[in-house]
Amino acid sequence: WDGWRAHLYRRAVRPDLRGRGIAAGLLRRAEVRLAALGAARLDAMVLEQNGLGQSFWATVGFSAQPEWRRWVRAVE
């Protein structure tokens, strides 16, 4: 949460509990809380090879932004 945009990381549901709406429920609760704080946008970090994750986020209305890449560096 940076004041207008909220970043969602590491949403996961145990494989034996998938398909019960748990992930969507967690997302709804997060959206309600973040909207109350004033969030105007949500974004999710999803690995390119994570087809299951990409499918989930697309199903709940998110879309990929191909013009963005994540830049990282270890602390020295």
Coordinates of all heavy atoms in Angstrom, one line a residue:
W1 N 0.9 -1.2 0.0 CA 0.0 0.0 0.0 C 0.9 1.2 0.0 O 1.7 1.4 0.9 CB -0.9 -0.1 1.2 CG -1.6 1.2 1.5 CD1 -1.5 2.0 2.6 CD2 -2.6 1.8 0.7 NE1 -2.3 3.0 2.6 CE2 -3.0 3.0 1.4 CE3 -3.2 1.6 -0.5 CZ2 -4.0 3.9 0.9 CZ3 -4.2 2.4 -1.0 CH2 -4.5 3.6 -0.3
D2 N 0.8 2.0 -1.0 CA 1.6 3.2 -1.1 C 0.9 4.5 -1.1 O 1.4 5.6 -1.4 CB 2.5 3.2 -2.4 CG 1.8 3.3 -3.7 OD1 0.5 3.5 -3.6 OD2 2.4 3.1 -4.7
G3 N -0.4 4.5 -0.7 CA -1.2 5.7 -0.6 C -2.3 5.8 -1.6 O -3.3 6.5 -1.4
W4 N -2.1 5.2 -2.7 CA -3.2 5.1 -3.8 C -3.3 3.8 -4.4 O -4.3 3.4 -5.0 CB -3.0 6.2 -4.8 CG -1.9 6.0 -5.8 CD1 -0.6 6.3 -5.6 CD2 -2.0 5.4 -7.1 NE1 0.1 5.9 -6.8 CE2 -0.7 5.4 -7.7 CE3 -3.1 5.0 -7.9 CZ2 -0.5 4.9 -9.0 CZ3 -2.9 4.5 -9.1 CH2 -1.6 4.4 -9.7
R5 N -2.2 3.0 -4.4 CA -2.2 1.7 -5.1 C -1.7 0.6 -4.1 O -0.8 0.8 -3.3 CB -1.1 1.8 -6.2 CG -0.8 0.5 -6.8 CD 0.4 0.7 -7.8 NE 1.4 1.5 -7.2 CZ 2.3 2.3 -7.8 NH1 2.2 2.4 -9.1 NH2 3.2 2.9 -7.2
A6 N -2.4 -0.5 -4.1 CA -2.1 -1.6 -3.2 C -1.5 -2.8 -4.0 O -2.0 -3.1 -5.1 CB -3.3 -2.1 -2.5
H7 N -0.4 -3.3 -3.5 CA 0.3 -4.4 -4.2 C -0.1 -5.7 -3.5 O 0.0 -5.8 -2.3 CB 1.8 -4.3 -4.1 CG 2.2 -2.9 -4.6 ND1 2.2 -2.6 -6.0 CD2 2.6 -1.8 -4.0 CE1 2.7 -1.4 -6.1 NE2 2.9 -0.8 -4.9
L8 N -0.5 -6.7 -4.2 CA -0.9 -8.0 -3.7 C 0.1 -9.1 -4.0 O 0.4 -9.2 -5.2 CB -2.3 -8.4 -4.2 CG -3.4 -7.4 -4.0 CD1 -4.6 -7.7 -4.8 CD2 -3.8 -7.3 -2.5
Y9 N 0.6 -9.7 -3.0 CA 1.7 -10.7 -3.2 C 1.3 -12.0 -2.5 O 0.6 -12.0 -1.5 CB 3.0 -10.3 -2.5 CG 3.6 -9.0 -3.1 CD1 3.3 -7.8 -2.6 CD2 4.5 -9.1 -4.2 CE1 3.9 -6.7 -3.1 CE2 5.0 -8.0 -4.7 CZ 4.7 -6.7 -4.2 OH 5.3 -5.6 -4.7
R10 N 1.7 -13.1 -3.0 CA 1.7 -14.4 -2.4 C 0.3 -14.9 -2.0 O 0.2 -15.5 -0.9 CB 2.7 -14.5 -1.2 CG 4.1 -14.0 -1.5 CD 4.8 -15.2 -2.2 NE 6.2 -14.8 -2.3 CZ 6.9 -15.2 -3.3 NH1 6.4 -16.0 -4.3 NH2 8.2 -14.9 -3.4
R11 N -0.7 -14.7 -2.8 CA -2.0 -15.3 -2.5 C -1.9 -16.8 -2.8 O -1.5 -17.2 -3.9 CB -3.0 -14.6 -3.3 CG -4.4 -15.1 -3.0 CD -5.3 -15.3 -4.2 NE -4.7 -15.7 -5.5 CZ -4.6 -16.9 -6.0 NH1 -5.1 -17.9 -5.3 NH2 -4.1 -17.2 -7.1
A12 N -2.2 -17.6 -1.9 CA -2.1 -19.0 -2.1 C -3.1 -19.8 -1.3 O -3.5 -19.4 -0.2 CB -0.7 -19.6 -1.8
V13 N -3.6 -20.9 -1.9 CA -4.6 -21.8 -1.2 C -4.0 -23.2 -1.4 O -3.6 -23.6 -2.5 CB -6.0 -21.7 -1.8 CG1 -6.9 -22.7 -1.2 CG2 -6.5 -20.2 -1.7
R14 N -4.0 -23.9 -0.3 CA -3.6 -25.3 -0.4 C -4.3 -26.1 -1.5 O -5.5 -25.9 -1.7 CB -3.9 -26.0 0.9 CG -2.9 -25.9 2.0 CD -3.1 -26.7 3.2 NE -4.2 -27.7 3.2 CZ -4.7 -28.1 4.3 NH1 -4.4 -27.7 5.5 NH2 -5.7 -29.0 4.2
P15 N -3.5 -26.9 -2.2 CA -4.1 -27.6 -3.4 C -5.4 -28.4 -3.0 O -6.4 -28.4 -3.8 CB -3.0 -28.5 -3.8 CG -1.8 -27.8 -3.4 CD -2.1 -27.1 -2.1
D16 N -5.4 -29.0 -1.9 CA -6.6 -29.8 -1.5 C -7.8 -28.9 -1.1 O -8.9 -29.5 -1.0 CB -6.3 -30.8 -0.4 CG -5.8 -30.1 0.9 OD1 -5.0 -29.2 0.8 OD2 -6.3 -30.6 1.9
L17 N -7.6 -27.6 -1.0 CA -8.8 -26.7 -0.6 C -9.2 -25.8 -1.8 O -10.1 -25.0 -1.6 CB -8.4 -25.9 0.6 CG -8.1 -26.7 1.9 CD1 -7.7 -25.8 3.0 CD2 -9.3 -27.5 2.3
R18 N -8.5 -25.9 -2.9 CA -8.8 -25.1 -4.1 C -10.2 -25.4 -4.6 O -10.7 -26.5 -4.5 CB -7.7 -25.2 -5.1 CG -6.4 -24.6 -4.7 CD -5.3 -24.8 -5.7 NE -4.1 -24.3 -5.2 CZ -2.9 -24.6 -5.5 NH1 -2.8 -25.5 -6.5 NH2 -1.8 -24.1 -5.0
G19 N -10.8 -24.4 -5.3 CA -12.1 -24.6 -6.0 C -13.2 -24.3 -5.0 O -14.4 -24.6 -5.4
R20 N -13.0 -23.8 -3.8 CA -14.0 -23.5 -2.9 C -14.3 -22.0 -2.7 O -15.1 -21.6 -1.8 CB -13.6 -24.1 -1.5 CG -13.4 -25.6 -1.5 CD -13.1 -26.1 -0.2 NE -12.7 -27.5 -0.2 CZ -12.6 -28.3 0.8 NH1 -12.7 -27.8 2.0 NH2 -12.3 -29.6 0.7
G21 N -13.6 -21.2 -3.5 CA -13.9 -19.7 -3.4 C -13.0 -19.1 -2.3 O -13.3 -17.9 -2.0
I22 N -12.1 -19.8 -1.8 CA -11.2 -19.2 -0.7 C -10.4 -18.0 -1.2 O -10.4 -16.9 -0.6 CB -10.3 -20.3 0.0 CG1 -11.2 -21.3 0.7 CG2 -9.3 -19.6 0.9 CD1 -10.4 -22.5 1.1
A23 N -9.7 -18.2 -2.3 CA -8.9 -17.1 -2.9 C -9.7 -15.9 -3.2 O -9.4 -14.8 -2.9 CB -8.1 -17.6 -4.1
A24 N -10.9 -16.1 -3.8 CA -11.7 -15.0 -4.2 C -12.3 -14.3 -2.9 O -12.4 -13.0 -2.9 CB -12.9 -15.4 -5.1
G25 N -12.6 -15.0 -1.9 CA -13.0 -14.5 -0.6 C -11.9 -13.6 0.0 O -12.2 -12.5 0.5
L26 N -10.7 -14.1 0.0 CA -9.6 -13.4 0.5 C -9.4 -12.1 -0.2 O -9.2 -11.0 0.4 CB -8.3 -14.2 0.5 CG -8.2 -15.4 1.5 CD1 -7.0 -16.2 1.1 CD2 -8.2 -14.9 2.9
L27 N -9.5 -12.2 -1.5 CA -9.4 -11.0 -2.4 C -10.5 -9.9 -2.0 O -10.2 -8.7 -1.9 CB -9.4 -11.3 -3.8 CG -9.3 -10.1 -4.8 CD1 -8.0 -9.3 -4.6 CD2 -9.4 -10.6 -6.2
R28 N -11.7 -10.4 -1.9 CA -12.8 -9.5 -1.6 C -12.6 -8.8 -0.3 O -12.8 -7.6 -0.2 CB -14.1 -10.2 -1.6 CG -14.7 -10.5 -2.9 CD -16.2 -11.0 -2.8 NE -16.3 -12.2 -2.1 CZ -16.2 -13.5 -2.6 NH1 -15.8 -13.6 -3.9 NH2 -16.3 -14.5 -1.9
R29 N -12.1 -9.5 0.7 CA -11.8 -8.9 2.0 C -10.7 -7.9 1.9 O -10.8 -6.8 2.5 CB -11.5 -10.0 3.1 CG -12.7 -10.8 3.4 CD -12.4 -11.8 4.5 NE -12.3 -11.0 5.8 CZ -12.2 -11.6 6.9 NH1 -12.2 -12.9 7.1 NH2 -12.0 -10.9 8.0
A30 N -9.7 -8.2 1.2 CA -8.6 -7.3 1.0 C -9.1 -6.0 0.3 O -8.7 -4.9 0.6 CB -7.4 -7.9 0.2
E31 N -9.9 -6.2 -0.8 CA -10.4 -5.0 -1.5 C -11.2 -4.1 -0.6 O -11.1 -2.9 -0.7 CB -11.3 -5.5 -2.7 CG -10.5 -6.0 -3.8 CD -11.4 -6.4 -5.0 OE1 -12.0 -7.5 -4.9 OE2 -11.5 -5.6 -6.0
V32 N -12.1 -4.7 0.2 CA -12.9 -3.9 1.1 C -12.0 -3.1 2.1 O -12.2 -1.8 2.2 CB -13.9 -4.8 1.9 CG1 -14.5 -4.0 3.1 CG2 -14.9 -5.3 1.0
R33 N -11.0 -3.7 2.7 CA -10.1 -3.0 3.6 C -9.3 -1.9 2.9 O -9.1 -0.8 3.4 CB -9.1 -4.0 4.2 CG -9.8 -4.9 5.2 CD -8.9 -5.8 6.0 NE -8.1 -5.0 6.9 CZ -7.1 -5.5 7.6 NH1 -6.8 -6.8 7.5 NH2 -6.4 -4.7 8.4
L34 N -8.8 -2.2 1.7 CA -8.0 -1.3 1.0 C -8.8 -0.1 0.4 O -8.3 1.0 0.4 CB -7.2 -2.0 -0.2 CG -6.1 -2.9 0.4 CD1 -5.7 -3.9 -0.7 CD2 -4.9 -2.2 0.9
A35 N -10.0 -0.4 0.0 CA -10.9 0.7 -0.5 C -11.2 1.6 0.7 O -11.2 2.9 0.5 CB -12.2 0.1 -1.0
A36 N -11.4 1.1 1.9 CA -11.6 2.0 3.1 C -10.4 2.9 3.4 O -10.6 4.0 3.9 CB -11.9 1.1 4.3
L37 N -9.2 2.4 3.0 CA -8.0 3.2 3.2 C -7.8 4.2 2.1 O -7.0 5.1 2.2 CB -6.8 2.3 3.2 CG -6.6 1.4 4.5 CD1 -5.5 0.4 4.3 CD2 -6.4 2.3 5.7
G38 N -8.6 4.1 1.0 CA -8.5 5.0 -0.1 C -7.8 4.5 -1.4 O -7.5 5.3 -2.3
A39 N -7.6 3.2 -1.4 CA -6.9 2.6 -2.6 C -7.7 2.9 -3.9 O -8.9 2.6 -3.9 CB -6.7 1.1 -2.4
A40 N -7.0 3.3 -4.9 CA -7.7 3.6 -6.2 C -7.4 2.4 -7.2 O -8.0 2.3 -8.2 CB -7.2 4.9 -6.7
R41 N -6.4 1.6 -6.8 CA -6.0 0.6 -7.8 C -5.3 -0.6 -7.0 O -4.6 -0.3 -6.0 CB -5.0 1.1 -8.8 CG -4.7 0.2 -9.9 CD -3.7 0.8 -10.9 NE -2.4 0.2 -10.6 CZ -1.3 0.5 -11.3 NH1 -1.4 1.3 -12.3 NH2 -0.2 0.0 -11.0
L42 N -5.5 -1.8 -7.5 CA -4.8 -3.0 -6.9 C -4.0 -3.6 -8.0 O -4.3 -3.5 -9.2 CB -5.9 -4.0 -6.5 CG -6.9 -3.6 -5.5 CD1 -7.9 -4.7 -5.3 CD2 -6.3 -3.2 -4.2
D43 N -2.8 -4.1 -7.7 CA -2.0 -4.9 -8.6 C -1.5 -6.1 -8.0 O -1.4 -6.2 -6.8 CB -0.9 -4.0 -9.3 CG 0.1 -3.6 -8.3 OD1 0.7 -4.4 -7.6 OD2 0.4 -2.4 -8.3
A44 N -1.3 -7.1 -8.8 CA -0.9 -8.4 -8.3 C 0.4 -8.8 -9.0 O 0.5 -8.7 -10.2 CB -2.0 -9.5 -8.5
M45 N 1.3 -9.4 -8.3 CA 2.6 -9.9 -8.8 C 2.4 -11.4 -9.1 O 2.0 -12.1 -8.2 CB 3.7 -9.7 -7.8 CG 4.0 -8.3 -7.4 SD 4.7 -7.3 -8.7 CE 6.3 -8.1 -8.9
V46 N 2.5 -11.8 -10.4 CA 2.3 -13.2 -10.8 C 3.5 -13.6 -11.7 O 3.8 -12.9 -12.7 CB 1.0 -13.3 -11.6 CG1 0.8 -14.8 -11.9 CG2 -0.2 -12.7 -10.8
L47 N 4.2 -14.7 -11.3 CA 5.3 -15.1 -12.2 C 4.8 -15.5 -13.6 O 3.7 -16.0 -13.7 CB 5.9 -16.3 -11.5 CG 6.6 -16.1 -10.2 CD1 7.1 -17.4 -9.6 CD2 7.8 -15.2 -10.4
E48 N 5.6 -15.2 -14.6 CA 5.2 -15.5 -15.9 C 4.8 -17.0 -16.2 O 3.9 -17.3 -17.0 CB 6.3 -15.1 -16.9 CG 6.4 -13.6 -17.0 CD 7.5 -13.1 -18.0 OE1 7.8 -13.9 -18.9 OE2 7.9 -12.0 -17.9
Q49 N 5.5 -17.9 -15.5 CA 5.2 -19.3 -15.7 C 4.1 -19.9 -14.8 O 3.8 -21.0 -14.8 CB 6.5 -20.1 -15.5 CG 7.0 -20.2 -14.1 CD 8.0 -19.1 -13.8 OE1 8.0 -18.0 -14.5 NE2 8.8 -19.2 -12.7
N50 N 3.5 -19.0 -14.0 CA 2.4 -19.4 -13.1 C 1.0 -19.3 -13.8 O 0.3 -18.4 -13.6 CB 2.4 -18.6 -11.8 CG 1.4 -19.0 -10.8 OD1 0.5 -19.8 -11.1 ND2 1.5 -18.5 -9.6
G51 N 0.7 -20.3 -14.6 CA -0.5 -20.3 -15.4 C -1.8 -20.3 -14.5 O -2.8 -19.7 -14.7
L52 N -1.7 -21.1 -13.4 CA -2.8 -21.1 -12.4 C -3.1 -19.8 -11.8 O -4.2 -19.3 -11.8 CB -2.6 -22.2 -11.3 CG -3.7 -22.4 -10.4 CD1 -4.9 -23.0 -11.1 CD2 -3.2 -23.4 -9.3
G53 N -2.0 -19.1 -11.4 CA -2.2 -17.8 -10.8 C -2.7 -16.8 -11.9 O -3.6 -16.0 -11.6
Q54 N -2.2 -16.8 -13.1 CA -2.6 -15.9 -14.1 C -4.1 -16.1 -14.4 O -4.9 -15.2 -14.6 CB -1.8 -16.1 -15.4 CG -0.4 -15.6 -15.2 CD 0.4 -15.7 -16.5 OE1 -0.1 -15.7 -17.6 NE2 1.7 -15.8 -16.3
S55 N -4.5 -17.4 -14.4 CA -5.9 -17.7 -14.7 C -6.8 -17.1 -13.6 O -7.9 -16.5 -13.9 CB -6.1 -19.2 -14.8 OG -7.4 -19.5 -14.9
F56 N -6.4 -17.3 -12.3 CA -7.2 -16.7 -11.2 C -7.3 -15.2 -11.4 O -8.5 -14.7 -11.3 CB -6.5 -17.0 -9.9 CG -7.2 -16.2 -8.8 CD1 -8.4 -16.7 -8.2 CD2 -6.6 -15.1 -8.3 CE1 -9.0 -15.9 -7.2 CE2 -7.2 -14.3 -7.3 CZ -8.4 -14.8 -6.7
W57 N -6.2 -14.5 -11.6 CA -6.3 -13.0 -11.6 C -7.1 -12.6 -12.8 O -7.9 -11.6 -12.7 CB -4.9 -12.4 -11.6 CG -4.3 -12.6 -10.3 CD1 -3.2 -13.5 -10.0 CD2 -4.6 -12.0 -9.0 NE1 -2.9 -13.4 -8.6 CE2 -3.8 -12.5 -8.0 CE3 -5.5 -11.1 -8.6 CZ2 -3.8 -12.1 -6.7 CZ3 -5.6 -10.7 -7.3 CH2 -4.8 -11.2 -6.3
A58 N -7.0 -13.2 -13.9 CA -7.8 -12.9 -15.1 C -9.3 -13.1 -14.8 O -10.2 -12.3 -15.1 CB -7.4 -13.7 -16.3
T59 N -9.6 -14.2 -14.1 CA -11.0 -14.5 -13.8 C -11.7 -13.5 -12.9 O -12.8 -13.2 -13.0 CB -11.1 -15.9 -13.1 OG1 -10.6 -16.9 -14.0 CG2 -12.5 -16.3 -12.7
V60 N -10.9 -12.9 -12.0 CA -11.4 -11.9 -11.0 C -11.3 -10.4 -11.6 O -11.4 -9.5 -10.8 CB -10.8 -12.0 -9.6 CG1 -11.3 -13.3 -9.0 CG2 -9.3 -11.9 -9.6
G61 N -11.0 -10.3 -12.9 CA -11.0 -9.0 -13.5 C -9.7 -8.3 -13.7 O -9.7 -7.1 -14.1
F62 N -8.6 -8.9 -13.3 CA -7.3 -8.2 -13.5 C -6.8 -8.5 -14.9 O -7.1 -9.5 -15.5 CB -6.3 -8.8 -12.5 CG -6.4 -8.2 -11.0 CD1 -7.6 -8.5 -10.3 CD2 -5.5 -7.5 -10.4 CE1 -7.8 -8.1 -9.0 CE2 -5.6 -7.0 -9.1 CZ -6.8 -7.3 -8.4
S63 N -5.9 -7.6 -15.4 CA -5.3 -7.9 -16.7 C -3.8 -7.6 -16.6 O -3.4 -6.7 -15.8 CB -5.9 -7.0 -17.8 OG -5.8 -5.6 -17.4
A64 N -3.0 -8.3 -17.4 CA -1.6 -8.1 -17.4 C -1.2 -6.8 -18.0 O -1.9 -6.3 -18.9 CB -0.9 -9.3 -18.1
Q65 N -0.1 -6.2 -17.5 CA 0.4 -5.0 -18.1 C 1.8 -5.4 -18.7 O 2.8 -5.3 -18.0 CB 0.7 -3.9 -17.0 CG -0.6 -3.3 -16.6 CD -0.3 -2.1 -15.7 OE1 0.3 -2.3 -14.6 NE2 -0.7 -0.9 -16.1
P66 N 1.8 -5.7 -20.0 CA 3.0 -6.2 -20.6 C 4.2 -5.2 -20.7 O 5.3 -5.5 -20.8 CB 2.6 -6.6 -22.0 CG 1.3 -5.9 -22.2 CD 0.7 -5.7 -20.9
E67 N 3.8 -3.9 -20.5 CA 4.9 -2.9 -20.6 C 5.7 -2.7 -19.3 O 6.6 -2.0 -19.3 CB 4.2 -1.5 -21.0 CG 3.3 -0.9 -19.9 CD 1.9 -1.4 -20.0 OE1 1.6 -2.4 -20.6 OE2 1.1 -0.7 -19.3
W68 N 5.3 -3.4 -18.3 CA 6.0 -3.3 -17.0 C 6.9 -4.6 -16.8 O 6.5 -5.7 -17.1 CB 5.0 -3.2 -15.8 CG 4.4 -1.9 -15.7 CD1 3.2 -1.5 -16.4 CD2 4.8 -0.8 -15.0 NE1 3.0 -0.2 -16.0 CE2 3.9 0.3 -15.2 CE3 5.9 -0.6 -14.1 CZ2 4.1 1.5 -14.5 CZ3 6.1 0.6 -13.5 CH2 5.2 1.6 -13.7
R69 N 8.0 -4.3 -16.2 CA 8.9 -5.4 -15.7 C 9.3 -5.1 -14.3 O 9.5 -3.9 -14.0 CB 10.1 -5.5 -16.6 CG 9.9 -6.1 -18.0 CD 9.7 -7.6 -17.9 NE 9.5 -8.1 -19.2 CZ 8.6 -9.0 -19.4 NH1 7.9 -9.6 -18.5 NH2 8.4 -9.5 -20.7
R70 N 9.5 -6.0 -13.5 CA 10.0 -5.9 -12.1 C 11.5 -5.8 -12.1 O 12.2 -6.6 -12.8 CB 9.5 -7.0 -11.3 CG 9.8 -6.9 -9.9 CD 9.2 -8.1 -9.1 NE 9.7 -8.2 -7.8 CZ 9.5 -9.1 -7.0 NH1 8.6 -10.1 -7.3 NH2 10.0 -9.2 -5.8
W71 N 12.0 -4.8 -11.4 CA 13.5 -4.6 -11.3 C 13.9 -4.9 -9.8 O 13.2 -4.4 -8.9 CB 13.9 -3.2 -11.7 CG 13.7 -2.9 -13.1 CD1 12.5 -3.0 -13.9 CD2 14.7 -2.6 -14.1 NE1 12.8 -2.7 -15.2 CE2 14.1 -2.4 -15.3 CE3 16.1 -2.3 -13.9 CZ2 14.8 -2.0 -16.4 CZ3 16.8 -2.0 -15.1 CH2 16.1 -1.8 -16.3
V72 N 14.9 -5.7 -9.6 CA 15.3 -6.1 -8.3 C 16.8 -6.0 -8.1 O 17.5 -6.1 -9.1 CB 14.8 -7.5 -7.9 CG1 13.3 -7.5 -7.9 CG2 15.4 -8.5 -8.8
R73 N 17.2 -5.9 -6.9 CA 18.6 -5.9 -6.5 C 18.8 -6.3 -5.1 O 18.0 -5.8 -4.2 CB 19.3 -4.5 -6.8 CG 20.8 -4.5 -6.5 CD 21.4 -3.2 -6.8 NE 21.0 -2.2 -5.8 CZ 21.7 -1.8 -4.8 NH1 23.0 -2.2 -4.7 NH2 21.3 -0.9 -3.9
A74 N 19.7 -7.1 -4.8 CA 20.0 -7.5 -3.4 C 20.6 -6.3 -2.7 O 21.3 -5.5 -3.2 CB 20.9 -8.7 -3.4
V75 N 20.4 -6.3 -1.4 CA 21.0 -5.3 -0.5 C 22.4 -5.6 -0.3 O 22.8 -6.8 -0.1 CB 20.3 -5.2 0.9 CG1 20.9 -4.2 1.8 CG2 18.8 -4.9 0.7
E76 N 23.3 -4.6 -0.5 CA 24.7 -4.9 -0.3 C 25.2 -4.6 1.1 O 24.7 -3.8 1.8 CB 25.5 -4.0 -1.3 CG 25.2 -4.3 -2.7 CD 25.9 -3.4 -3.7 OE1 26.8 -2.6 -3.3 OE2 25.6 -3.4 -4.9

